[in-house]
Amino acid sequence: MPQFWKPGSERPRLLDDEEGGVLFYTTSSSSSSGFGYASIEKQRQRLPVYNYRTAILYLVETHATTIVVGETGSGKTTQIPQYLKEAGWADGGRVIACTQPRRLAVQAVASRVAEEMGVKLGEEVGYTIRFEDITNTGVTRIKFLTDGVLLREMMDDPLLSKYSVIMVDEAHERSLSTDILLGLLKKIQRRRPELRLIISSATIEAKSMAAFFQTSKRRLGLEAEEHGPRTEPAILSVEGRGFNVQLFYVEESVPDYLQAAVSTVLSIHDQEPMGDILVFLTGQDDIDAAVQLITDEAQSNGKSASGLIVLPLYSGLSRADQDLIFSPTPRGKRKVVISTNIAETSLTLEGIVYVVDGGFSKQRFYNPISDIENLVVAPISKASARQRAGRAGRVRPGKCYRLYTEEYFVNEMSTEGIPEMQRSSLISSVIQLKALGIDNILGFDWLSSPSPEAMVRALEVLYSLGVLDDDAKLTSPAGFQVAEIPLDPMISKMILASNQLGCSEEIITISAVLSVQSIWISVRGAQKELDEAKMRFAAAEGDHVTFLNVYKGFLQSDKSSKWCHNNFINYHAMKKVIEIREQLRRITQRLRIVLKSCENDMQVVRKAITAGFFSNACHLEAFSHNGLYKTVRSSQEVYIHPSSVLFRVNPKWVIYHSIMSTDRQYMRNVISIDPSWLREAAPHFYRQKQPNPIAL
Ligand code: CDP
Ligand code: MG
């Protein structure tokens, strides 16, 4: 176990701004909900937000926009939609919407609310996430959905007319879709004075959010001004009683944060009184590895083996696994939940007394100069660190073990995170806004404006994809079709191209696989076996064609979970692939794309991929012995990721699906191509970028 400051021991110098390592959280009351003693009604009444029920309903009645700030677990997400329904906001066929940035949170809160209301999920209470619609039109009164799905709904119903109240939750996360949604909702408000907005979050600069929604009086009609709601936003903050969380920092920075997290958990289990542990790591791979290590080590040292229930928490988890996370810990047992930052504010787990904070999360970063967007494991902000610590103080005083030094926290961590808008590629956002008829994108009412470079890059790629015309308007039909498909525009374009090339069956399979996290199971220490399993399916052309082989094998096995297990393939991911593929089949049929198989002609499949992803082309550097590639667009140095079947094969020309950076920039999901296809697919793009065509 890494060395931590001991409680009560003398600390050399107080660097912290956090009162000697003790945080005072003004959080929830001492709810015992989740432990199964109180009736659901009692549990609801114990939540801090309950004391504000009348105030919230009054503010919503009288104000166009209400901003609600309250600590995680105070009941905002699960209670406010119910209060609104009880007050009649869902009468007359209207619907109350509540958005979340994360799919898993949507599912979890919807099922909790259905349970509290004693109804079947998908009837009065339902949810919609991409590729999964658990609602019943005409019956569903409270609908949870991702912010991205609500944006999509605007394409069919620009004024979102079926909703009476829209609650934009977790606004502090400032996800890309939340930001765009807020800008659009502000526009809708002008046309629909009867619509109410609630913006809720755990921490927020409520004032700047309020300033954003302050509509000038002139803009609303006179009638609205006299009879309608007040236009200046109301701000309400939910106060609650909380428990102290004692902070511990490592004395020296840890070389392996995964190992440090594992040993910290084991020693908490050894030395500390009962209470569940929540560990923050970055992604599925690390989390699965940590679950495995803790389980193994606990078993091997006998005495602590009993009593530990170790569970992973990340998006893409099956429903059964989610239920385990939320079900009460049996007496005499200790639950250890190893999570991504989804448990930071989106979900409340009852019974957590100890938090282990690894200090990192996976974040999207986009560099408009290199035109590379990737997921990077990056340090969290102080704001996130405080939220994470706060998760320990819910049921009684807790402890938070930070796997970074106090100096690091004080001197190195940034105060707040950067909004996703300012660290993302804008391709998807631009196409969505265009599809909603917003032509002047730079003049859009952004909560925080994106960089002009990123905007120019996005317009350039969309123009080359044939999605925008010379006047930067959506082309017809291609542009509108691409906007219609709920996938990354480059994937959508690949699907459209496959229609002409006669390989749409294959391409929608590939699109479905690219929409799940990974179809492989990674087991720490079993890398060799995994690689061998992969070789059974590996195609010389690259990963995309390999996916087709796996899919074929899965169908031939009659979708057997045993077959998946034997081949290191994730059964749940494959079932998801089948589901997504089925939905894509329906969407493409609507777009009049004829489903056709190219049988074994993989050249057309690779051409279709090139048609969508030409801007991700790379060539192998001449005389490179270590597999160094450069991107054609901006000469960035990249390498093939070891998980790719083309690792060490190093074809001369490749196209990647995404970039992951660790020590280097790695291309994930790679296919070999013929460079002449690039000019065929995007003459404008490659002419402009490469005035001297020798590079191709
Ligand atoms: O949104 P906020 O963080 O303010 O709180 P919430 O998500 O509405 O949670 C209120 C209560 O519901 C907490 O005590 C949660 O533990 C409980 N809850 C639950 O038991 N199971 C869920 N799936 C979601 C919430
Ligand atoms: Mg919430």
Side-chain angles (χ1 to χ4, degrees), residues 221-238:
L222 200 62
E223 206 185 327
E225 192 52 34
E226 279 171 1
H227 305 292
R230 295 167 58 177
T231 52
E232 78 273 24
I235 301 178
L236 179 110
S237 101
V238 175

Side-chain angles (χ1 to χ4, degrees), residues 22 40 61 64 72 110 124 134 209 236 247 260 283 288 314 357 380 425 436 472 500 548 588 633 642 644 666 671:
V22 181
I40 283 219
E61 183 74 42
T72 303
E124 265 173 281
I134 312 292
M209 191 65 84
L236 179 110
L247 291 175
D288 285 339
Y314 43 73
D357 173 11
I380 56 170
S425 155
L436 293 171
Q500 280 140 23
L548 293 175
T588 47
R633 295 202 71 190
S644 168
Y666 285 110
I671 188 100

